[in-house]
Amino acid sequence: MIGFVRQRSRPGLSVGIVILLLTLLFVSSPKRTEAGSAEQGSVLSGSLIESTRPIDSRGLSTWRTSRLRSPSGILYPYPHKPMPWSGESYQLRSLVDFGFVLNSGEASEAAFRKYADLSDGFLLRRFLVEGQRTEDGRYFEVGGGSVGRSDQFFYGEIGRRGLFSLRGRFDAVEHVGIDDARILFEGVGSQELTLPSPLVPGRNLQSDVSAALVGVGQTQLSQKREQSELQMRVTLHPRLTLIGDYGFRKRQGERPFGGTLGMRFARTTGGSFAETIAPEESDTHEFSAGLEYASPKMQANLRYRGSIYDNQNSSLTWENPFSASERGNPASPTAVAGPPRGRSALAPDNQLHQVSSDVGIHLPLRGRFTTHASWTRMTQNQRLLPATINPLLTNFDTLSRSRGDARVDQLLVQSKLRFRPASAVNVDFGFRYSMRDNDTNYLSLNPASGQFGYVTEDESLTTRYGAAAFSAQRLRVSGAVDWRFAKRSRVGIRYRHNSTRRENRAREEVRDDNFRLHVSTAAIPHTQLRASYTFQKRSGSNYSAARDSRYYEATGPGRPARTGGPSRSLRSFRQFDLSSHDNHNVDLRANWLIGPSVDLALAAHLELRDYHTSYGITGTRIAEVNLDTSIQLSPQLTAHGFASYEWRDRRMATINGAIGLGQSTDFTAGSRRYPLSNRWTWDSNFRGMTLGVGLTATPLPRVALRADYRFQRSNEDIDTAFDRSGGALPPSTDPATARSRFPSLSQTDHLLDASASYAWTDTITTRAFYRYQYSTIRDFHQRGLQPVVNQNLFLGHVDDDYSVHVVGATWQFRY
Amino acid sequence: MKIFKKVAFVGAYVSFLVAASLVLACVALDDPSGPTQSDTEDSYVSESPTDFSAEPQRTYLGQAVCEGCHALAAEHWGDTVHAKVFLQNPRTLAEKRGCEACHGPGSEHIVEPTNPARIISFTRDSPLAVEQMNGACLECHSGGARIAWAGSAHEVDELSCSDCHNPMNRISEKGLLREATVRDTCFSCHPQQRVQFRKRSHMPLFEGKIDCDDCHQPHGSATDPLLRADSSFELCTSCHSDKRGPFIWEHAPVTEGCVSCHLPHGSNRDSLLVTSPPFLCQQCHAQLGVQNHPIALQTPGNLASSSVPGRRDVRLIGRGCVNCHVQIHGSNHPSGARFHR
């Protein structure tokens, strides 16, 4: 058990870590930089090959008359003509694609611009210069796209084929979150938000704040992310590769945040909330290095990865726009002053260090043993802010420690053993152990006074002993058998047992038993079928909401007496991630090769989960069906279409506690604390449909047309059920008129992308493009939203409908 | 339990040392000739899954012979990274084989060119088992992430390398994929994700800023969803490092995994949430408090549009509970026990 006060004996462990790192001095490999297949891009740049090379009408083969399909039956697309090289030994090829973009409509809407820059103006859509020396494989490559726009990207690579490569990348994106924020505060972008005159912190009425917002225009809040990366890959030996990677990520901008000074719900007295704006300015350094070894009999990877997050802003202070209470008379001098300001800590600087290894060994009987092990340490040692910014409480001016001193260690060991007792039979065994150890142990203690507690919302003192640290251990064992019963056909069964032990959660141990039956077959003519059924049963130890109560309760001298209810009150309420349940999963994928150039594919997923509880999430249902068709009649004409339907249901039941019963400790359903008349349920039903069609055509030798259209509609309805004579509703609501169903949360989208290009010569192409985007969002959280709502200040953001036409043209020159 | 943890840690540390020793020993003892060796350059006898040892001895013909009939295929292949390595800087015997590095010796194929059994092929028409086709690729590409291939989700489902890759033609910028992009390749079998990335809040996949393989390792990994990390928390916080902490006040579902509250690809709610606040939070919170505010039922009458101003409730407006509990991923403030600070 992790104790409350513990002397850390770290020196031995630290020495061990240093030795481990020294042992692995040469070794590490980033998980994410393995001879990257990821292509950089933007909305306007498109994929490199598709946007720069025409389809080759000759196809892939002179000899085959039928279309080529993958082993699973998927049609391979028609090839693109390779770009020719100029020169003999030293070869070069290049292209530049530039033009302009124009748009009309609601192009300033945040949802339209969220991650894309489709603004009017010049467009350097793509550029690329490649060179190579054929006699020894040396090469270089420089390229990029959407140059000068907020989603621009660049890359460059040099190397020698099969020996080494050095690649640099830069990528930018702007996340436009809000375009219609009405901001009361001054100092946006800094760590201090102040009120404009004549507002006085903590002493204004709602009418004063509303008056101050008159004439305030709309402001955009966005964050820019710029990411640079340098990747190196060196073949030290035909079987040994060294990999190194350094990445730098910078985020800048502002984002909506929040700040509360007392709770201000409908009809409560005292307190206010303000939707503030937090500055975002952070740097993240990522570095990794590794070795990869591969021989016919054995493979191994060793890796180190490090990440350092550095936030330039440590806190956000805001001045309270409202008084604590207006006492029912907006103009009354009896309004109660509220705290003048509040201060929140922003994300602390942190570090991560990870070492990991993978080993794979071929065994006799076509067997194989693989193992993965990793150890991770995450730390944070930020200087802590004072308990409060307001000088209302002077007896909490010292903390149990001055810095975060937070540390989480994680360990994962996973091994698999496969052997083949018969030529068509595989037998697999698996073992997995993972551990998360939180060694932070923060105490809410003022060592000067011996008082336990913390300052609630910069206003008052609340008792609390310390922070619950969440640690866990997971152990999984598995066994599987599969049998190849026909050519490219396999059926198998797998069993897994998983045991998770957690500290400070309501259930000490959770056990999962998982059975999976799967089949994959090409034995049915003109068909590839994959199907699986998984049954999971979750059980575990007794559930007790009070397992972390020691962080709230007093059991010895100097610890505060308990006030209020336990951390999770209703005895029979079950948190869904711990709750016992049965889960059924069915997955189906079928490809029908219905013609030499036509595919039809069906993908379906069904998940049914029943929780064994009366309160909490009681059940979820997910079903997804997708139908796809691909028609490749000729290099001059291909088409595709898809239809998708999705539904998700989620149900929950709970009981609203009765108010004003003092220290009653009977928290069972049906008690005075939780009368059944206060029971209510919530039912969420989501339905989504998507349709899409696309066409690529070359009607004339130098003319290429392309069009893609997608329609998407979704709707979520939330229904509640409750006893109107009971106490499920808060005091602010009139039971007689309370409706049960919320307005639908819905979205409708149309997206059309079309282009036409004409190749004047083999090296010059003109392309015209058109894009139409239409979107409506109805979110009841934004319904009727104004900046001032009952002593709560909002930015007033509402997702508006938008309809935007984008047109443009580019000229592409290839050399 | 502490002793068990220490034993596990020591065991992991020892495994590192053993693995490192094995690597160094293998390098020291290895013959750098290449993954497939033969006593003579002109013959081929393989012990790999593509073992044709029951067949008559096959011989290599050389790239020029292949190109004599397959000029068009060679032209397309010539633009691929395989061709550039094999033709410009081959370092192993296998790489020097050119076409026959993957397709095997062609002496039987030119005798019976229409018999698919006379050459190693990788399409639907091939007589080879998926394991045999994959074995040809794994002879050179067995390392790196492919260490975890055996027993991975794609391998168990009889997926072939050539279901996702087409080394004969450069359709994608990198990776010799079957389609122009990673996402288009994945959507062939995972079409639902195509829908999810177009939802109201989504990861910027269609905007070209992320792709499936930024988060997933399709060749195999230590997790069931084939993540490029040991957990969803580790994966997500590799980019969203501000959520990594560790914080002095932790929020339990964050430590369990980001998917406790978020859908990783897209959602019709703001911030990729699984469901809307306050219901999202009420899935776990049933405690008493000021006005029992975590667990009280809100109705449409409490929305900002309510005709009775006194009923408009901040728990249903904007970001709901996270309006006040803004540090919902964890707090590093001494007074952040309820994630207000």
Side-chain angles (χ1 to χ4, degrees):
Chain A
M1 184 179 82
I2 296 175
F4 295 113
V5 179
R6 185 171 66 173
Q7 297 295 324
R8 290 186 185 154
S9 54
R10 290 187 184 171
L13 192 60
S14 299
V15 169
I17 292 167
V18 169
I19 293 174
L20 179 67
L21 291 175
L22 286 174
T23 303
L24 303 175
L25 185 62
F26 294 103
V27 302
S28 48
S29 161
K31 284 190 171 72
R32 289 176 293 149
T33 59
E34 183 191 36
S37 59
E39 177 180 336
Q40 291 173 268
S42 65
V43 168
L44 286 173
S45 64
S47 79
L48 174 66
I49 304 297
E50 283 184 326
S51 63
T52 60
R53 304 178 189 192
I55 291 176
D56 193 338
S57 58
R58 300 171 297 171
L60 258 180
S61 170
T62 313
W63 300 103
R64 292 184 63 98
T65 55
S66 60
R67 296 297 317 285
L68 280 169
R69 292 176 177 275
S70 76
S72 293
I74 304 170
L75 279 168
Y76 287 112
Y78 283 102
H80 292 259
K81 273 188 181 173
M83 265 181 74
W85 294 91
S86 63
E88 293 294 329
S89 176
Y90 291 85
Q91 296 183 328
L92 197 68
R93 61 186 182 187
S94 62
L95 70 90
V96 63
D97 191 328
F98 63 91
F100 65 90
V101 179
L102 296 171
N103 60 59
S104 72
E106 293 82 23
S108 62
E109 180 61 30
F112 174 73
R113 295 185 294 130
K114 187 177 265 192
Y115 299 118
D117 187 344
L118 291 155
S119 56
D120 292 348
F122 174 74
L123 170 65
L124 179 49
R125 185 169 176 248
R126 275 226 180 239
F127 72 93
L128 173 68
V129 181
E130 293 180 287
Q132 64 179 9
R133 195 162 81 169
T134 56
E135 62 192 37
D136 62 7
R138 294 180 199 274
Y139 71 95
F140 77 91
E141 177 185 335
V142 177
S146 290
V147 177
R149 292 178 173 263
S150 63
D151 54 358
Q152 62 184 342
F153 60 96
F154 305 94
Y155 56 90
E157 184 171 332
I158 61 169
R160 188 173 175 195
R161 307 287 181 196
L163 264 183
F164 78 92
S165 67
L166 181 66
R167 184 174 179 89
R169 309 160 34 120
F170 172 84
D171 195 272
V173 66
E174 184 174 16
H175 180 177
V176 180
I178 293 177
D179 64 306
D180 57 355
R182 293 181 62 201
I183 302 175
L184 176 72
F185 295 104
E186 294 174 342
V188 172
S190 73
Q191 295 186 69
E192 291 217 21
L193 298 177
T194 56
L195 295 172
S197 95
L199 296 180
V200 178
R203 292 179 178 271
N204 307 296
L205 306 179
Q206 294 178 53
S207 55
D208 298 329
V209 175
S210 296
L213 280 166
V214 172
V216 170
Q218 296 181 339
T219 302
Q220 174 179 298
L221 296 181
S222 65
Q223 294 182 59
K224 291 184 182 174
R225 185 207 73 188
E226 293 178 344
Q227 195 160 272
S228 309
E229 194 172 8
L230 205 59
Q231 301 170 337
M232 175 196 71
R233 197 172 176 92
V234 180
T235 305
L236 301 175
H237 178 277
R239 297 184 182 183
L240 191 65
T241 305
L242 173 69
I243 299 172
D245 179 273
Y246 170 72
F248 175 70
R249 187 181 310 118
K250 187 170 191 64
R251 290 184 196 268
Q252 266 183 316
E254 296 85 32
R255 62 187 175 100
F257 202 63
T260 182
L261 289 159
M263 281 176 276
R264 182 61 187 179
F265 308 130
R267 285 208 187 171
T268 58
T269 57
S272 67
F273 154 77
E275 192 169 19
T276 56
I277 303 96
E280 177 67 52
E281 191 169 359
S282 65
D283 300 328
T284 306
H285 302 266
E286 297 269 341
F287 39 93
S288 58
L291 277 176
E292 293 181 355
Y293 171 80
S295 74
K297 295 299 183 189
M298 181 189 158
Q299 303 81 41
N301 297 334
L302 296 173
R303 311 179 187 90
Y304 164 76
R305 176 190 161 222
S307 175
I308 298 174
Y309 172 76
D310 179 15
N311 192 353
Q312 313 302 315
N313 298 295
S314 59
S315 67
L316 176 70
T317 301
W318 76 98
E319 292 184 335
N320 184 5
F322 298 102
S323 55
S325 168
E326 299 184 3
R327 299 272 173 139
N329 183 348
S332 169
T334 59
V336 176
R341 61 189 58 81
R343 178 169 58 191
S344 189
L346 297 180
D349 299 347
N350 62 64
Q351 296 189 10
L352 175 144
H353 300 281
Q354 182 182 75
V355 289
S356 64
S357 74
D358 297 276
V359 176
I361 302 172
H362 287 288
L363 303 174
L365 292 179
R366 289 190 175 177
R368 184 162 171 83
F369 174 76
T370 56
T371 186
H372 168 80
S374 67
W375 177 83
T376 307
R377 169 160 288 180
M378 293 175 281
T379 58
Q380 173 269 119
N381 199 30
Q382 186 94 341
R383 182 169 292 281
L384 297 179
L385 293 173
T388 177
I389 194 174
N390 290 319
L392 301 177
L393 295 160
T394 59
N395 60 345
F396 230 87
D397 52 1
T398 55
L399 303 172
S400 60
R401 56 196 193 209
S402 62
R403 288 185 170 272
D405 197 20
R407 188 183 80 190
V408 168
D409 291 333
Q410 294 182 157
L411 176 72
L412 170 64
V413 177
Q414 175 166 295
S415 295
K416 291 186 208 174
L417 173 65
R418 164 175 284 190
F419 67 99
R420 186 176 289 185
S423 62
V425 176
N426 285 329
V427 178
D428 293 335
F429 294 104
F431 165 84
R432 179 185 169 100
Y433 171 78
S434 65
M435 177 267 294
R436 180 184 197 268
D437 183 13
N438 186 337
D439 196 24
T440 303
N441 298 316
Y442 178 75
L443 293 181
S444 300
L445 169 68
N446 180 342
S449 64
Q451 188 171 17
F452 284 90
Y454 69 96
V455 179
T456 307
E457 299 171 20
D458 285 298
E459 199 173 19
S460 57
L461 188 65
T462 296
T463 54
R464 179 75 180 237
Y465 187 72
F470 299 106
S471 298
Q473 294 184 68
R474 293 177 170 82
L475 181 66
R476 184 177 81 190
V477 292
S478 62
V481 175
D482 69 63
W483 169 44
R484 283 186 179 81
F485 60 91
K487 180 187 171 187
R488 295 188 198 155
S489 298
R490 198 163 161 179
V491 64
I493 188 166
R494 184 193 72 196
Y495 167 73
R496 275 184 181 167
H497 177 79
N498 198 78
S499 168
T500 304
R501 288 186 170 271
R502 296 179 172 90
E503 296 200 11
N504 299 319
R505 294 291 311 275
R507 215 172 189 182
E508 183 177 7
E509 184 190 12
V510 168
R511 293 182 292 271
D512 292 309
D513 290 286
N514 181 297
F515 301 86
R516 183 172 189 257
L517 176 68
H518 63 94
V519 63
S520 173
T521 180
I524 303 170
H526 310 296
T527 303
Q528 177 76 39
L529 179 69
R530 292 186 171 98
S532 69
Y533 168 72
T534 305
F535 172 71
Q536 177 182 301
K537 188 171 186 64
R538 173 164 288 182
S539 60
S541 57
N542 290 337
Y543 193 103
S544 168
R547 281 195 74 223
D548 63 349
S549 61
R550 60 185 177 275
Y551 295 98
Y552 303 85
E553 293 177 343
T555 58
R559 299 188 186 185
R562 183 171 188 80
T563 58
S567 51
R568 278 163 289 281
S569 308
L570 178 57
R571 286 273 186 261
S572 45
F573 186 96
R574 297 289 178 264
Q575 294 174 317
F576 68 93
D577 61 338
L578 303 176
S579 178
S580 296
H581 64 254
D582 292 338
N583 195 82
H584 303 266
N585 256 33
V586 176
D587 278 287
L588 172 70
R589 286 189 183 84
N591 291 347
W592 291 286
L593 289 54
I594 60 177
S597 303
V598 184
D599 277 347
L600 185 66
L602 171 72
H605 171 72
L606 177 67
E607 182 178 326
L608 307 174
R609 182 172 294 189
D610 286 311
Y611 290 86
H612 302 161
T613 183
S614 300
Y615 300 102
I617 295 290
T618 57
T620 61
R621 305 280 187 271
I622 297 174
E624 299 161 348
V625 179
N626 296 272
L627 204 60
D628 278 68
T629 184
S630 173
I631 304 167
Q632 299 185 16
L633 296 175
S634 70
Q636 288 77 28
L637 186 62
T638 63
H640 68 269
F642 64 89
S644 173
Y645 197 78
E646 174 185 5
W647 55 102
R648 293 172 181 257
D649 298 334
R650 204 170 181 92
R651 295 191 179 83
M652 196 190 82
T654 190
I655 300 178
N656 192 5
I659 299 173
L661 291 179
Q663 296 301 309
S664 168
T665 57
D666 182 1
F667 300 114
T668 56
S671 66
R672 289 177 63 232
R673 270 290 199 190
Y674 287 100
L676 294 179
S677 57
N678 288 10
R679 183 178 183 271
W680 62 276
T681 63
W682 149 66
D683 212 313
S684 160
N685 302 104
F686 172 86
R687 301 289 181 266
M689 177 186 69
T690 305
L691 299 170
V693 293
L695 180 76
T696 306
T698 311
L700 297 170
R702 292 183 175 275
V703 175
L705 305 174
R706 189 183 183 98
D708 286 281
Y709 169 73
R710 178 185 60 84
F711 167 73
Q712 191 157 324
R713 171 172 286 167
S714 64
N715 204 76
E716 180 179 7
D717 287 316
I718 298 178
D719 287 290
T720 60
F722 53 94
D723 179 352
R724 289 178 184 276
S725 63
L729 298 168
S732 57
T733 307
D734 177 3
T737 59
R739 283 178 284 140
S740 300
R741 170 173 278 203
F742 280 84
S744 294
L745 202 162
S746 66
Q747 180 185 3
T748 302
D749 281 316
H750 297 267
L751 176 63
L752 171 65
D753 259 314
S755 66
S757 64
Y758 182 78
W760 301 94
T761 68
D762 287 343
T763 58
I764 303 173
T765 301
T766 303
R767 175 175 170 268
F769 60 89
Y770 170 76
R771 181 181 175 102
Y772 174 68
Q773 274 184 246
Y774 168 86
S775 176
T776 68
I777 294 175
R778 298 287 180 268
D779 185 348
F780 61 78
H781 299 90
Q782 300 174 344
R783 192 179 172 104
L785 180 58
Q786 296 295 322
V788 179
V789 179
N790 291 341
Q791 283 188 210
N792 299 306
L793 177 68
F794 292 90
L795 295 173
H797 168 63
V798 176
D799 284 306
D800 292 320
D801 301 349
Y802 68 83
S803 170
V804 182
H805 302 269
V806 181
V807 297
T810 64
W811 288 262
Q812 187 179 110
F813 298 89
R814 294 185 293 277
Y815 171 75
Chain B
M1 190 179 293
K2 293 249 334 150
I3 294 175
F4 185 52
K5 282 193 290 190
K6 285 185 179 174
V7 168
F9 177 76
V10 170
Y13 178 63
V14 170
S15 74
F16 286 130
L17 294 179
V18 170
S21 304
L22 284 172
V23 168
L24 293 173
C26 288
V27 171
L29 295 172
D30 197 13
D31 179 339
S33 300
T36 55
Q37 307 173 42
S38 60
D39 293 328
T40 67
E41 287 198 2
D42 297 325
S43 66
Y44 175 90
V45 177
S46 171
E47 295 178 353
S48 75
T50 51
D51 186 358
F52 288 89
S53 57
E55 300 290 328
Q57 188 86 344
R58 299 182 179 191
T59 57
Y60 292 97
L61 303 177
Q63 174 115 354
V65 175
C66 305
E67 290 182 358
C69 293
H70 297 285
L72 180 57
E75 181 184 339
H76 284 289
W77 179 73
D79 199 34
T80 68
V81 64
H82 281 151
K84 290 170 184 173
V85 172
F86 292 1
L87 301 178
Q88 297 178 12
N89 191 30
R91 300 181 69 227
T92 66
L93 190 59
E95 291 172 1
K96 290 173 185 170
R97 300 280 186 216
C99 306
E100 292 166 300
C102 301
H103 290 285
S107 58
E108 293 297 313
H109 172 61
I110 61 170
V111 173
E112 279 188 85
T114 59
N115 185 343
R118 297 295 177 228
I119 195 75
I120 298 173
S121 55
F122 301 92
T123 63
R124 180 89 171 166
D125 300 332
S126 172
L128 297 179
V130 166
E131 187 190 19
Q132 290 177 305
M133 288 190 273
N134 292 350
C137 305
L138 290 171
E139 288 209 12
C140 293
H141 296 289
S142 59
R146 272 78 52 188
I147 287 180
W149 172 252
S152 67
H154 287 150
E155 189 269 338
V156 166
D157 270 349
E158 283 284 284
L159 231 70
S160 168
C161 305
S162 50
D163 277 315
C164 299
H165 297 278
N166 182 358
M168 290 307 300
N169 172 36
R170 191 179 174 200
I171 286 188
S172 64
E173 182 184 357
K174 295 279 183 187
L176 296 179
L177 302 175
R178 171 172 45 82
E179 303 286 345
T181 59
V182 171
R183 61 177 183 263
D184 289 333
T185 305
C186 301
F187 289 159
S188 305
C189 295
H190 302 281
Q192 189 54 36
Q193 278 66 32
R194 181 179 50 205
V195 171
Q196 291 170 2
F197 282 110
R198 292 285 193 191
K199 290 183 175 176
R200 172 192 180 184
S201 61
H202 58 271
M203 296 299 285
L205 181 105
F206 284 109
E207 290 84 356
K209 296 305 167 187
I210 198 171
D211 219 328
C212 309
D213 65 340
D214 282 299
C215 298
H216 296 278
Q217 175 45 269
H219 304 106
S221 88
T223 61
D224 284 344
L226 300 179
L227 301 179
R228 280 187 179 271
D230 293 339
S231 66
S232 64
F233 175 83
E234 182 189 326
L235 178 69
C236 301
T237 56
S238 64
C239 286
H240 300 281
S241 311
D242 55 324
K243 312 293 190 295
R244 182 163 61 207
F247 303 98
I248 58 176
W249 302 97
E250 283 195 317
H251 191 199
V254 176
T255 68
E256 295 292 335
C258 307
V259 294
S260 299
C261 300
H262 296 280
L263 293 169
H265 305 119
S267 166
N268 277 79
R269 303 147 206 102
D270 203 10
S271 303
L272 287 89
L273 294 177
V274 170
T275 191
S276 302
F279 310 106
L280 175 71
C281 314
Q282 290 170 330
Q283 293 179 131
C284 288
H285 290 282
Q287 64 266 43
L288 306 172
V290 174
Q291 288 214 355
N292 299 333
H293 78 278
I295 202 54
L297 167 64
Q298 304 295 307
T299 70
N302 301 112
L303 294 174
S305 56
S306 172
S307 58
V308 182
R311 293 186 185 151
R312 298 167 189 163
D313 200 302
V314 67
R315 289 168 285 180
L316 264 184
I317 300 172
R319 289 175 291 143
C321 312
V322 184
N323 285 326
C324 297
H325 299 276
V326 64
Q327 300 283 39
I328 201 61
H329 298 100
S331 171
N332 213 52
H333 194 291
S335 301
R338 304 289 188 198
F339 310 120
H340 293 129
R341 294 287 184 270

